[in-house]
Amino acid sequence: MKMFAILLTAILTENFILSKFLGICPFLGVSKKLNTAVGMSVAVIFVMALSTAVTYPINVCILVPKNLEYLQTIVFILVIAALVQLVEIILKKFIPALYQALGIYLPLITTNCAVLGVVLLNIDNGYTNGMTGFAQSMVNAVGAGIGFLVAMVMFAGVRERLESCDIPKNLKGLPSTLIAAALVSLSFQGFTGVVEGIFG
Amino acid sequence: MAEKRKTPLTKELTKGIIAENPVLRLVLGTCPTLATSVSVTNAIGMGIAATLVLVCSNVVISALRKVIPSKVRIPAYIVVIASFVTIVQMLVKAFVPALDEALGVYLPLIVVNCIILGRAEAFAGKNSVAASFLDGVGMGIGFTVALVVMATIREVLGSGTFLDGIDSLTALFGYTGFTGFKNILSQPMAILTLAPGGFFVFGVVMALANMLAERKGKPKAEHTGCAGCPMAHSCGLRASDCSENKEKEEKAV
């Protein structure tokens, strides 16, 4: 049950884009069309889960026992960058179909703050205790990724409508997009307390 | 900035503050802008931390620009930036623990701040050390100014305070007498300190910046998508898949 609570929290109440402001660049840049929004989000889910799976053992087995926690930022970003490159090469060679679908988004994700963010937040949240910690971290990473997908898809829909609206000249483009994002984010504020309410 | 025309060094410093403000004109670093502009103290702290990293990494990357092979330059830049972020993180933890707590995960996330990698890629990798230093200082000040403008609106209207908790920063200089203005509004609009308020204020401030830019005859800020993306070079060949380029192509066809 606790896992389910973590999952729901990551998707709804602590949504990465709409309440933690992580991954705003792809949110504004790639959400114009539904299909690119979905492609980007699936790639983000994939990379988030993979980075968590790789950085968790590095943190728990190497950095923490040797008291090297201060190296977390630098080690994690390097591991993630190398990992994304590696995945790109492997996909290109062995699973071209998947590469066609996700490959174009992978290099963009390396420097996406949502991926480094989820890895660091797992540690901040205290998901660092052996196998349970690993499971909690993975659930949180996948949940954050799904939350990213939900926000992207919802917002792509809003944006497609926004394109055809007549808005004041100075608000056209980014300002109106941001104000629309504020309204979508406002709707997610409604989930506050839902998870606590269900799981007490 | 990318063009090869000789500009006086002072211009490198001043362009980042208004004409090419990284947040409001180049639309880089949106995540930390939205997340840390809840209070002016946080905004100043974040601005100083990011400026320190930006200036140091710009100088080092510019000094090493002839040594770093262009194929591995992005990982090399990331290592340089991450090292400085780690140093700044340790300094903040040691000297301003309250700020470390307030900024939380956004402090280590300076490493993926598009402004820093973007400036390394667009400027420091191609220009002299002195010009890169000034560019870093100017862009850092521009980032801080944009953050403070947004934070002022959000803090005054959202929590009814101004410069609350500033003593944690001024304590560095041994002064803790001033702890900020309190109770400016009797009923602050708390929504502005939450996530929706962040997006809303950012949208409004950007609209104002567009209005001012238009009066001066400058184009309004657009999300540059690929052009502003520090990874543009590594995915350059497939840029046609970027949503914005795709649209242009579709129009052309």
Side-chain angles (χ1 to χ4, degrees):
Chain A
M1 281 314 258
K2 187 142 182 268
M3 295 291 168
F4 198 61
I6 292 175
L7 186 74
L8 271 189
T9 309
I11 298 175
L12 297 177
T13 49
E14 304 266 296
N15 189 290
F16 257 47
I17 295 178
L18 297 171
S19 66
K20 283 196 183 301
F21 303 122
L22 296 170
I24 301 291
C25 288
F27 181 59
L28 297 176
V30 203
S31 67
K32 273 192 183 162
K33 290 259 165 60
L34 191 60
N35 54 351
T36 45
V38 172
M40 179 76 188
S41 313
V42 174
V44 165
I45 299 178
F46 182 64
V47 174
M48 272 181 172
L50 205 64
S51 328
T52 306
V54 173
T55 53
Y56 184 84
I58 293 179
N59 184 45
V60 171
C61 305
I62 302 173
L63 296 181
V64 173
K66 304 263 184 228
N67 285 324
L68 293 172
E69 285 101 331
Y70 65 89
L71 285 177
Q72 273 163 355
T73 315
I74 190 164
V75 168
F76 289 171
I77 187 72
L78 281 179
V79 168
I80 293 170
L83 189 75
V84 173
Q85 285 286 310
L86 193 71
V87 169
E88 206 187 339
I89 296 169
I90 292 175
L91 283 185
K92 204 173 186 175
K93 178 97 176 110
F94 295 107
I95 324 175
L98 195 60
Y99 179 75
Q100 286 291 319
L102 300 186
I104 51 167
Y105 305 106
L106 287 177
L108 296 168
I109 293 172
T110 322
T111 52
N112 182 339
C113 46
V115 176
L116 187 62
V118 79
V119 172
L120 293 171
L121 280 173
N122 280 337
I123 296 168
D124 276 6
N125 288 351
Y127 304 149
T128 46
N129 188 17
M131 279 320 279
T132 356
F134 183 71
Q136 285 169 333
S137 298
M138 287 305 288
V139 169
N140 191 36
V142 172
I146 297 174
F148 191 88
L149 173 80
V150 171
M152 287 283 274
V153 168
M154 275 176 55
F155 197 59
V158 173
R159 248 183 124 166
E160 278 173 10
R161 302 291 288 273
L162 203 63
E163 294 283 300
S164 57
C165 288
D166 186 26
I167 23 185
K169 193 174 51 179
N170 287 317
L171 284 170
K172 259 188 193 142
L174 265 185
S176 63
T177 311
L178 284 164
I179 291 171
L183 296 177
V184 175
S185 159
L186 193 62
S187 70
F188 267 69
Q189 290 286 313
F191 289 117
T192 311
V194 164
V195 178
E196 290 79 8
I198 297 174
F199 298 99
Chain B
M1 89 203 143
E3 59 219 354
K4 281 281 163 195
R5 145 176 81 88
K6 289 251 173 202
T7 42
L9 285 180
T10 46
K11 210 166 173 206
E12 306 295 0
L13 179 68
T14 52
K15 70 168 192 258
I17 301 175
I18 294 175
E20 288 184 24
N21 187 294
V23 178
L24 298 173
R25 305 293 302 153
L26 305 181
V27 201
L28 296 170
T30 42
C31 307
T33 309
L34 288 165
T36 58
S37 59
V38 176
S39 77
V40 179
T41 307
N42 283 0
I44 296 174
M46 181 69 187
I48 293 173
T51 306
L52 268 180
V53 176
L54 182 58
V55 171
C56 295
S57 67
N58 254 9
V59 166
V60 170
I61 287 168
S62 168
L64 295 176
R65 72 185 185 280
K66 291 187 179 129
V67 188
I68 299 174
S70 75
K71 273 194 176 161
V72 294
R73 66 183 187 288
I74 299 279
Y77 296 167
I78 292 178
V79 177
V80 172
I81 295 168
S83 318
F84 284 115
V85 170
T86 308
I87 295 170
V88 166
Q89 216 181 332
M90 288 162 123
L91 290 174
V92 171
K93 266 194 185 125
F95 293 105
V96 205
L99 184 67
D100 178 61
E101 209 150 284
L103 295 181
V105 74
Y106 298 100
L107 193 58
L109 283 180
I110 294 176
V111 75
V112 281
N113 186 325
C114 320
I115 297 174
I116 294 167
L117 196 54
R119 289 326 283 171
E121 174 73 11
F123 197 89
K126 295 170 191 154
N127 287 283
S128 68
V129 174
S132 303
F133 173 79
L134 292 173
D135 177 76
V137 174
M139 285 288 164
I141 294 175
F143 177 62
T144 314
V145 166
L147 268 177
V148 169
V149 167
M150 274 188 59
T152 307
I153 301 174
R154 289 181 72 183
E155 193 185 340
V156 171
L157 296 181
S159 17
T161 58
F162 183 60
L163 290 169
D164 191 23
I166 192 73
D167 51 315
S168 66
L169 287 179
T170 53
L172 278 177
F173 309 104
Y175 173 74
T176 52
F178 179 67
T179 55
F181 302 99
K182 293 191 175 68
N183 301 322
I184 297 174
L185 294 182
S186 55
Q187 290 203 317
M189 298 175 271
I191 191 77
L192 285 181
T193 61
L194 300 174
F199 283 111
F200 183 76
V201 172
F202 194 21
V204 171
V205 169
M206 192 170 278
L208 288 177
N210 279 347
M211 204 175 82
L212 292 176
E214 203 201 347
R215 279 200 193 150
K216 294 205 160 191
K218 301 255 172 61
K220 63 179 182 180
E222 278 294 333
H223 196 258
T224 41
C226 286
C229 169
M231 303 306 285
H233 288 268
S234 58
C235 77
L237 288 174
R238 297 170 304 219
S240 59
D241 291 293
C242 236
S243 60
E244 327 219 335
N245 292 336
K246 214 173 210 166
E247 264 170 31
K248 273 178 209 151
E249 268 176 23
E250 275 163 13
K251 270 180 201 159
V253 172

